[in-house]
Amino acid sequence: MTGEGGEFARLKALVTGGASGIGLATATLLAERGARVACLDLRPDAAPEPLLGFAADVADDPSVREAVAAAAQALGGIDVLVNNAGIGARGTVESNPDDEWHRVLDVNVVGIVRVTRAALPHLRASPHAVIVNTCSIAATAGLPDRALYSASKGAVQSLTLAMAADHLREGIRVNCVNPGTADTPWVRRLLEAAEDPTAELAALQARQPLGRLVSANEVAAAIAYLASPLAGSTTGSVLAVDGGMQGLRPRPAADRPD
């Protein structure tokens, strides 16, 4: 069920949304580095071996509690929790009705609460307990047409810091990653729905200083770093994986001296 050796050898990891995109890349990498990995997902059968799949809807508390308990039993405990499950949203504050605001916040924010709450008894029993939340650069950068999504991810970043403070004395580290626009199934669906997918992709690439989308594997590597025993002094940290989008202000190519 695990890779040979690696810094995650003998550790047990739980990844939500682990059957696709960033979640699948993360679960696969943790397994390659020695962890036993369980994925909570709406489509658990999509998680390939050696990953274990468990059906769960992070918006439904009984579903979460049942799946976390089953995963912990199958793994023999939980050392690493990756709260990755989430949904996207487009529009300004006027674009979405109240029901959609409640739905997105329920999945992206309260979903983390539900899964963490169910996993905490297992994490408290671990000598290497860590939680990594998948946040977004939308938490710190004002992006157009992303009011609801940005609000949910801003809450995730604040929640991460509060959780890190609350569980510090219990020996549980809590961090988050802030990906830029990543090449995920959700982004690909947005591109397919655009009037001009090629132009939309070029615009998304251009707003990241590296000039391309972030890969799911790059985000997974950042999550694995934060979850690793090698990062034992890292807690309450926010790691941007955004192609320089948050901190860099490069000059346009036309303004650069020859």
Side-chain angles (χ1 to χ4, degrees), residues 162-218:
M163 289 167 60
D166 284 341
H167 302 292
L168 181 68
R169 300 304 174 198
E170 296 178 308
I172 302 172
R173 298 187 297 111
V174 188
N175 299 289
C176 71
V177 293
N178 282 9
T181 304
D183 192 352
T184 63
W186 180 62
V187 168
R188 287 295 165 180
R189 286 194 295 272
L190 289 180
L191 291 173
E192 289 169 7
E195 244 179 71
D196 186 340
T198 302
E200 182 67 14
L201 175 59
L204 292 177
Q205 292 171 328
R207 74 181 184 184
Q208 297 184 148
L210 280 181
R212 62 172 176 81
L213 299 186
V214 176
S215 75
N217 287 336
E218 288 169 330

Side-chain angles (χ1 to χ4, degrees), residues 15 28 31 49 54 62 68 105 109 113 146-147 177 188 236 258:
V15 181
T28 301
E49 294 183 356
F54 295 87
V68 170
L105 291 169
V109 184
V113 174
R146 292 291 186 275
V177 293
R188 287 295 165 180
D258 293 332

